Amino acid sequence: MDQNLALRTADTAGGAWQNKLLAALPRQVWARVEPHLSAIHAQPGEILGQSHLPLDYAYFPLTSIVSIQYMTTDGATIEIAAVGSEGVVGVNLFLGGGAAANRLVIQNLGHIYRLRREVLQKEFSRGGAMQKLLLQYTQRLLAQIAQISVCNQRHSIDQQLSRWLVQTLDRLGSQEVMITHELLANTLGVRREGITESARKLHRAGIITYQRGRIVVIDPMKLKARCCECYAVMRYAHGGLTRLPSAARQIMMCPAADANPLAISNLQFADESPTPI
Ligand SMILES: [Zn+2]
């Protein structure tokens, strides 16, 4: 749980500007918030919060990713959203709740800023720039949750794995991710054998290499080409695309189009911005 995390007041591999919400705060708001921020050195697998248990802090990832997971009564897990430097973990805190809605798991080694919930709630209640930023982000998070729900229901493990890898690499700004097949299976809510088979296909196609929990993407464009449309739809929702690629627009406007699924390779990314996800 959170109290076991190692706290650091320095060495945050950069600064708060790495989180896009914190970076967007006006100077006066930042001056009120900054004294209450503390940096966490996050370790993979650490738990920031559990479903229905009190959440004392909101978390603003810098270089780490937090996986928001649902855990079933038999202990199985599935990721319903992920939050990197584009967002904040703990939207419940400013939407009227005081507990985590789901399990919050650190995905990779990195840094996160945390802010006590009372400070977040007070700033939110002012109704100014921070409230606007947080509500806009909540809208994007809801879009992500909805799309991942679709992805889990409608798309193959191959497509889900490709989509997850591309999104994770976007957030990390890297071509390498440290995660075991078992953790990946728990994240995507599928059997480990399914992940192993899909990873083998990517390896045989010359797209990735993997060894001992380390996946290296050696052909990112081919990996994108294997994603389902969910990647483009979520990028658009997060502002990473200034307009939805035409093929994805057709998919969204025509529910029957999934009978003839379009690969991401058919989508045009000419207007991509560097915004992650
Ligand atoms: Zn999908």
Side-chain angles (χ1 to χ4, degrees):
M1 294 294 289
D2 179 72
Q3 58 267 33
N4 295 324
L5 294 170
L7 291 179
R8 290 184 177 182
T9 54
D11 186 25
T12 52
W17 60 268
Q18 290 177 98
N19 181 280
K20 291 177 175 55
L21 294 181
L22 293 178
L25 292 177
R27 189 184 301 266
Q28 302 93 320
V29 179
W30 172 248
R32 289 194 296 268
V33 168
E34 194 270 340
H36 303 283
L37 288 169
S38 53
I40 291 169
H41 186 196
Q43 300 284 340
E46 284 182 305
I47 309 295
L48 293 179
Q50 291 280 16
S51 181
H52 307 305
L53 291 182
L55 190 63
D56 294 330
Y57 296 90
Y59 297 91
F60 295 84
L62 305 181
T63 53
S64 204
I65 297 172
V66 179
S67 177
I68 302 176
Q69 300 180 349
Y70 181 83
M71 179 180 276
T72 62
T73 52
D74 62 359
T77 56
I78 187 167
E79 181 174 279
I80 58 173
V83 181
S85 61
E86 79 282 0
V88 59
V89 177
V91 299
N92 287 29
L93 299 180
F94 55 82
L95 293 177
N102 291 284
R103 196 165 182 254
L104 309 171
V105 187
I106 301 288
Q107 191 183 95
N108 65 294
L109 188 72
H111 292 92
I112 295 176
Y113 268 118
R114 71 179 190 178
L115 182 66
R116 282 206 68 87
R117 69 178 178 192
E118 297 85 0
V119 178
L120 182 83
Q121 289 165 341
K122 185 176 179 183
E123 194 58 44
F124 184 85
S125 67
R126 286 175 177 266
M130 192 160 189
Q131 185 191 75
K132 186 177 178 184
L133 282 168
L134 292 173
L135 289 177
Q136 287 173 338
Y137 173 71
T138 302
Q139 186 177 19
R140 296 194 291 271
L141 181 66
L142 290 174
Q144 183 191 169
I145 291 169
Q147 197 64 38
I148 287 179
S149 172
V150 171
C151 198
N152 291 339
Q153 286 288 321
R154 300 294 295 174
H155 296 142
S156 68
I157 297 176
D158 290 0
Q159 289 174 310
Q160 290 183 51
L161 175 61
S162 299
R163 187 265 302 162
W164 186 90
L165 280 172
V166 170
Q167 288 183 311
T168 300
L169 297 181
D170 280 356
R171 287 189 171 103
L172 294 175
S174 166
Q175 290 192 211
E176 173 183 319
V177 57
M178 302 295 291
I179 191 165
T180 63
H181 287 188
E182 185 166 0
L183 272 176
L184 252 177
N186 291 341
T187 300
L188 295 178
V190 299
R191 296 178 64 212
R192 196 177 80 169
E193 293 78 5
I195 292 294
T196 300
E197 180 53 34
S198 291
R200 278 200 192 115
K201 288 180 191 172
L202 293 175
H203 182 247
R204 282 198 295 266
I207 296 172
I208 67 168
T209 62
Y210 58 89
Q211 192 174 29
R212 294 177 185 171
R214 177 173 177 258
I215 299 174
V216 178
V217 176
I218 53 183
D219 195 331
M221 291 312 294
K222 278 189 180 174
L223 185 64
K224 272 189 182 181
R226 291 192 174 226
C227 291
C228 44
E229 76 263 20
C230 299
Y231 173 63
V233 171
M234 284 190 269
R235 268 192 73 93
Y236 176 72
H238 277 254
L241 296 176
T242 53
R243 67 183 172 82
L244 199 62
S246 57
R249 275 204 303 274
Q250 290 169 16
I251 291 167
M252 294 179 77
M253 292 167 63
C254 178
D258 62 3
N260 180 23
L262 291 167
I264 210 81
S265 55
N266 296 327
L267 308 182
Q268 299 301 312
F269 284 90
D271 57 351
E272 267 186 284
S273 78
T275 306
I277 197 170

